[in-house]
Amino acid sequence: MNPRISRRTLVTSAAAGAALLSASPASPARADGSARPAFLHGVASGDPLPDGVLLWTRVTPVPEAGPGSGRGPDVPVTWEVAEDAAFGRVVATGTVTATAASDHTVKADVRGLRPATGYFYRFTADGTVSPTARTRTAPAPDAAPDGLRFGVVSCANWESGHFSAYRHLAARRDLDAVLHLGDYIYEYKSGEYPAAKYVVRKHEPEHEIVTLADYRVRHGRYKTDPDLQALHHALPMVAIWDDHEFADNAWPGGAGNHTPGTEGDWTARMAAAKQAYFEWMPVRPSVAGTTYRRLRFGRLADLHLLDLRSFRSQQVKSGSGTVDDASRTLTGRAQLDWLKEGLTASDTTWRFVGNPVMMAPVAFGAMPAHLLRPLAKLLGLPGEGITVNSDQWDGYTHDRHELLEHLTGRGIRNTVFLTGDIHMAWANDVPAKAATYPLFSGSVATEFVVTSVTADNLDDTLHVLPHTVSLPAATAIKAANRHVKWVDMDSHGYGVLDVTAERAQMDYYVLADKRDPKSAASWARSYRTKSGTQRVERTKSPVR
């Protein structure tokens, strides 16, 4: 018997059916007719460790204590972790207090669990029991697991469609965790992105979110989505933020979608967004209250998670020579040193970097204006001429050069960047020098970019059928960038990253229709990088 399959089967066979994991128990009234607390936003787990996991929920103690309201009494909340879905073998329990100060969200950082083990958990508040959910711990630090498998997602805009990608990942029984690479929420007012006539379902609040209450309400709205709840109930999540958790093209001094004259002080807005994020997400804050941190999955892989919004220099105009300025930074000095040191010290087979914006350089070759303009708009670039996307690593070439030189100089192999942000799927080599690749300079890492869950792609922007007019643009990009092995500008969906000692493979899955809450999903393509090669190659089938 395959030990990898058998341990997954053992973990999930005790589930006693999907209904147990998704049903939200009723909240009966007290004898005096008043409502009991309710778990309206589901439960979640995240940041798995060999001996523990972070648990999360939000309690609504009284009907008027909605997200962002600042109302409602303190409520003691008990959490339980068990080996079985019936909670006959409880292995850990404790009590935390939900208060209005934390928007009635609570977290429990549970320790003392066994490595590489599936568990069930739930919360109880004043007699009301939350949904039961599953989670899983990471392998022991010195373990050598046969394999690891992660769902990979990014860019879920509520107004652009339904979160069917989450439903399909939740239904799988072969995943260790899900990696969310950013843009878990979007900040826009209703009808701004996409335009009002293309909105599938409206944001709450309908105005652009600016205050702490606004961000709390928006997070709360997202966590009422049944597919998102199902994903959190099925798997631990490892999440980082990108810009839309704050505002479009955010940096420490402002954002493209922030107007100080009407929307107030940016520093206060960013602080509010961060506070709401850590309240509502199953994420451990790390250095200076950011999301950069490191997780280990035995000797097979470690995962270096980046925060590329809190320390960066302001974006410059695309095509400007200042993108090469050594004083400009995307990561900040401390984070870049932390990443370099972590990659050097790593003793795992694979080094994955959770990377919010694309690492591989991209220059745009000749293409028709009717394609160039919407593509520029999608990527946040000026329409009159494009050499780089200055919001991603292309706009901060000194940081990229330093990091790639470090990989080359230290002989660090099997580094794979896992990226979201740009609403397209890519499979890239990461060249030391793109201009002379592949004849005179090689690839020092690889990159898998997943497309958006719902946020608009090129076909959405043009309002045409997928894989029609975008084909000339894709052809031009690959012709001008020989390290780009594949790009899909039109699909929505998710990735499944399967890791063994021999290779890391990304299987790309696409939705039939993001506007359909019951949308089917199908496999589109797969790319892998074999250990020691630093190159991606196409493979003809997904991992089964």
Side-chain angles (χ1 to χ4, degrees):
M1 179 180 291
N2 184 318
R4 185 176 179 211
I5 294 175
S6 64
R7 63 97 172 166
R8 293 181 191 278
T9 303
L10 288 170
V11 167
T12 58
S13 63
L20 175 65
L21 298 173
S22 59
S24 181
S27 300
R30 298 182 179 91
D32 63 3
S34 61
R36 291 188 181 275
F39 294 93
L40 304 178
H41 301 92
V43 301
S45 67
D47 282 6
L49 302 174
D51 68 339
V53 70
L54 188 72
L55 305 182
W56 174 94
T57 194
R58 201 265 177 183
V59 182
T60 304
V62 291
E64 60 269 24
S69 67
R71 301 175 183 173
D74 293 358
V75 182
V77 182
T78 299
W79 55 266
E80 299 172 277
V81 178
E83 295 176 338
D84 63 313
F87 287 81
R89 300 188 300 278
V90 174
V91 297
T93 186
T95 300
V96 288
T97 301
T99 70
S102 59
D103 208 22
H104 288 100
T105 63
V106 294
K107 292 181 181 180
D109 199 347
V110 182
R111 301 299 173 96
L113 305 180
R114 298 195 310 272
T117 301
Y119 290 97
F120 297 87
Y121 66 97
R122 66 187 180 188
F123 296 84
T124 304
D126 194 16
T128 301
V129 183
S130 78
T132 294
R134 292 189 300 261
T135 192
R136 184 171 181 83
T137 53
D142 59 349
D146 292 338
L148 295 164
R149 194 172 291 178
F150 302 100
V152 189
V153 290
S154 73
C155 304
N157 186 3
W158 179 278
E159 294 210 327
S160 292
H162 293 280
F163 296 160
S164 299
Y166 294 159
R167 171 169 48 86
H168 289 289
L169 284 171
R172 295 181 67 119
R173 294 294 180 263
D174 61 348
L175 302 178
D176 294 281
V178 61
L179 175 60
H180 203 298
L181 294 167
D183 296 343
Y184 182 99
I185 66 168
Y186 276 70
E187 85 285 5
Y188 295 109
K189 67 180 181 181
S190 184
E192 182 175 3
Y193 175 71
K197 66 178 179 178
Y198 300 109
V199 167
V200 176
R201 50 185 181 165
K202 285 191 174 184
H203 278 315
E204 185 182 343
E206 291 189 23
H207 59 264
E208 184 177 333
I209 53 175
V210 176
T211 67
L212 176 58
D214 291 342
Y215 282 97
R216 286 169 164 174
V217 172
R218 187 67 57 88
H219 273 282
R221 177 69 158 177
Y222 268 64
K223 281 197 168 65
T224 63
D225 182 88
D227 295 329
L228 178 54
Q229 285 196 10
L231 181 63
H232 280 303
H233 292 182
L235 292 162
M237 178 175 283
V238 178
I240 53 177
W241 57 46
D242 192 29
D243 54 339
H244 292 290
E245 285 87 352
F246 309 103
D248 184 44
N249 284 359
W251 66 288
N257 192 28
H258 179 74
T259 307
T262 58
E263 293 174 337
D265 177 68
W266 170 252
T267 301
R269 181 177 179 180
M270 196 171 195
K274 287 186 176 183
Q275 179 176 334
Y277 183 90
F278 284 121
E279 289 171 346
W280 279 87
M281 295 293 291
V283 169
R284 293 185 187 90
S286 60
V287 179
T290 80
T291 55
Y292 81 79
R293 61 202 190 281
R294 187 175 293 117
L295 297 174
R296 181 182 175 96
F297 296 87
R299 289 183 291 162
L300 184 56
D302 50 22
L303 177 58
H304 311 259
L305 299 154
L306 301 184
D307 173 0
L308 300 184
R309 294 295 163 184
S310 295
F311 311 105
R312 67 161 66 203
S313 306
Q314 184 176 9
Q315 300 88 339
V316 297
K317 196 169 188 179
S318 295
S320 166
T322 58
V323 298
D324 300 323
D325 189 335
S327 67
R328 290 175 41 73
T329 182
L330 178 63
T331 62
R333 182 74 260 164
Q335 184 177 198
L336 185 57
D337 287 344
W338 168 89
L339 177 59
K340 290 164 58 180
E341 290 164 4
L343 293 170
T344 300
S346 174
D347 61 354
T348 59
T349 302
W350 296 96
R351 283 155 278 287
F352 295 106
V353 181
N355 175 52
V357 297
M358 200 156 83
M359 161 62 69
V362 179
F364 290 80
M367 64 181 71
H370 75 282
L371 289 176
L372 185 60
R373 291 191 188 97
L375 186 59
K377 181 179 179 181
L378 180 65
L379 295 174
L381 304 173
E384 67 275 6
I386 311 172
T387 55
V388 296
N389 178 345
S390 66
D391 188 58
Q392 59 192 38
W393 287 82
D394 270 339
Y396 304 85
T397 60
H398 189 271
D399 276 4
R400 181 170 61 196
H401 177 75
E402 181 177 334
L403 180 55
L404 298 184
E405 280 284 303
H406 181 76
L407 296 179
T408 302
R410 296 299 182 95
I412 299 170
R413 305 178 75 78
N414 291 354
T415 302
V416 182
F417 293 89
L418 305 173
T419 305
D421 179 61
I422 57 175
H423 313 170
M424 306 176 194
W426 303 64
N428 304 321
D429 290 345
V430 180
K433 295 181 180 179
T436 56
Y437 172 90
L439 295 178
F440 302 106
S441 65
S443 177
V444 299
T446 54
E447 181 175 39
F448 297 125
V449 184
V450 295
T451 188
S452 65
V453 171
T454 61
D456 282 5
N457 283 339
L458 187 60
D459 63 303
D460 300 314
T461 303
L462 295 172
H463 308 297
V464 297
L465 291 174
H467 310 299
T468 54
V469 298
S470 66
L471 295 180
T475 299
I477 286 174
K478 288 189 291 183
N481 303 271
R482 288 167 288 183
H483 55 281
V484 174
K485 305 307 178 183
W486 178 61
V487 56
D488 176 358
M489 298 182 172
D490 297 329
S491 300
H492 301 279
Y494 58 93
V496 173
L497 177 71
D498 189 88
V499 186
T500 67
E502 293 73 34
R503 55 99 185 104
Q505 177 168 321
M506 183 70 83
D507 298 330
Y508 295 89
Y509 290 84
V510 299
L511 300 176
D513 182 0
K514 68 175 182 175
R515 300 174 66 87
D516 179 3
K518 298 181 180 180
S519 176
S522 60
W523 170 74
R525 282 209 183 192
S526 293
Y527 284 84
R528 67 186 178 190
T529 175
K530 292 181 178 178
S531 180
T533 66
Q534 279 62 252
R535 291 180 180 273
V536 297
E537 62 181 23
R538 186 177 179 182
T539 182
K540 297 299 184 180
S541 63
V543 176
R544 301 299 182 183

